[in-house]
Amino acid sequence: MAEPSGRPDHAFSDAQRHGVYRAIHERRDVRAQFLPDPIPPETLARLLDAAHHAPSVGFMQPWDFLMVDNPEVRERVHRLFLNANAKAAECHAGERGQLYRRLKLEGILESPLNLCITCDRSRGGEHVLGRHSIVETDLFSTCLAVQNLWLAARAEGIGVGWVSILDPTELAGILGLPASVYPLAYLCLGYVSDFPDRPELARAGWRQRLPLAERIHGNGWGQPMDSPALMTALDALESRR
C-alpha cells in the first residue's frame, strides 16, 4: 500500500513487521515444555537488554533482575507455590476444581533458569515525573519490561512462564528483597520442546479468548464504534486465523 503523500515511511519492512506480530501472537505462558539446555550468556544478555529498554513513566526504570539458579532457593520457591496453589484450588469446586488440579501451572524446577523481575517503588525519588496522579505507574512500567523480555524470548525460541501463584511477601523474604522492592514477576525461562498453537488454558478448556470486536467501545463505555471500516478489518483478521 502506497504511503500518503507527505508522510515519511517509518514502517518496518514486511518481513520485519511480520516478525513482530508473530512474536506477539505466538508468545505463550510455558509451564510443561521446558528442556534442560542452558540459555547461552549472549542470548540471555539480549533478553535482559530488551527488558531494560522498556518505557517507564518519568524514565524511572524501577526494575531489577534477580537470576535464580540455586537449586535450594528454587526448592523453597516451589514449596511456596505448592502452598499457595493448594489454597487457590479450594476456590474451585466440582468439575472446575478437578480441572484446576490437573493444570500444570509452573515450571520452577524444570526450567533451566528462574528470573524474578522486581519493582523498586522508591526508584526516582519522592516526586517522579508523571506519577503524581497514578502512583501505580511504577508497577505498570515494570510490566512493560516483562513483556519486552517475553517477546524477545519468543523471537529467540525461548519459553517463558509467569508463576503468579506465590505469596509476594514470602517470596520477598526468600529472595532477601529490601522493603521498597516488590517481586512483580517470577518467571521460568528455557528452551522448549514446542510452543503450543493456542494458550494452555484455552487448550485445557479453562477459558477462551474473548472476541476483540466486543471489547471495543466508542467515546464512552458501552457505546458502539462508528467505524464500519474498522469492524470490517477486524472481521477480516479473525477470518484469516
Side-chain angles (χ1 to χ4, degrees):
M1 179 182 297
E3 290 296 321
S5 176
R7 190 179 78 185
D9 183 7
H10 298 304
F12 291 2
S13 69
D14 288 345
Q16 292 168 334
R17 189 164 58 246
H18 173 75
V20 172
Y21 286 113
R22 180 183 174 189
I24 291 170
H25 287 284
E26 295 186 12
R27 180 211 62 80
R28 294 288 178 263
D29 195 348
V30 176
R31 289 86 174 264
Q33 295 90 3
F34 286 110
L35 301 174
D37 312 64
I39 301 174
E42 299 81 4
T43 305
L44 185 57
R46 289 195 294 271
L47 301 187
L48 295 172
D49 186 59
H52 187 53
H53 277 77
S56 60
V57 172
F59 205 38
M60 71 178 97
Q61 304 162 73
W63 45 73
D64 283 271
F65 308 97
L66 278 71
M67 321 296 288
V68 184
D69 56 8
N70 184 293
E72 293 182 3
V73 176
R74 292 168 65 166
E75 286 283 358
R76 292 179 65 190
V77 175
H78 186 249
R79 287 196 295 271
L80 193 63
F81 162 80
L82 292 177
N83 291 335
N85 193 51
K87 294 177 182 178
E90 296 174 358
C91 299
H92 306 285
E95 293 184 3
R96 194 72 165 172
Q98 295 175 18
L99 174 57
Y100 182 93
R101 289 168 175 82
R102 291 197 300 269
L103 294 172
K104 171 71 170 171
L105 298 175
E106 51 77 37
I108 296 170
L109 302 181
E110 298 90 338
S111 59
L113 178 66
N114 291 183
L115 169 67
C116 185
I117 300 183
T118 63
C119 176
D120 186 344
R121 310 215 65 186
S122 67
R123 185 82 42 89
E126 183 178 0
H127 301 291
V128 175
L129 189 155
R131 191 185 177 195
H132 179 76
S133 300
I134 306 176
V135 297
E136 297 87 357
T137 51
D138 58 340
L139 299 172
F140 304 158
S141 297
T142 305
C143 285
L144 296 176
V146 175
Q147 181 75 330
N148 266 21
L149 180 136
W150 215 323
L151 294 177
R154 180 62 190 90
E156 298 278 3
I158 293 170
V160 178
W162 187 329
V163 186
S164 60
I165 308 174
L166 295 169
D167 182 285
T169 301
E170 295 187 47
L171 179 60
I174 291 174
L175 300 178
L177 302 183
S180 65
V181 176
Y182 179 76
L184 185 134
Y186 194 89
L187 307 174
C188 305
L189 278 72
Y191 291 102
V192 296
S193 58
D194 67 279
F195 284 96
D197 58 349
R198 299 167 61 208
E200 291 280 6
L201 293 183
R203 293 205 309 174
W206 184 262
R207 190 173 174 86
Q208 302 302 317
R209 190 177 302 282
L210 299 173
L212 174 56
E214 297 177 9
R215 310 272 72 80
I216 299 175
H217 310 259
N219 298 305
W221 184 265
Q223 299 302 310
M225 268 292 298
D226 187 19
S227 178
L230 174 60
M231 305 313 287
T232 298
L234 289 173
D235 289 341
L237 279 176
E238 188 63 30
S239 66
R240 291 200 291 269
R241 296 200 178 105

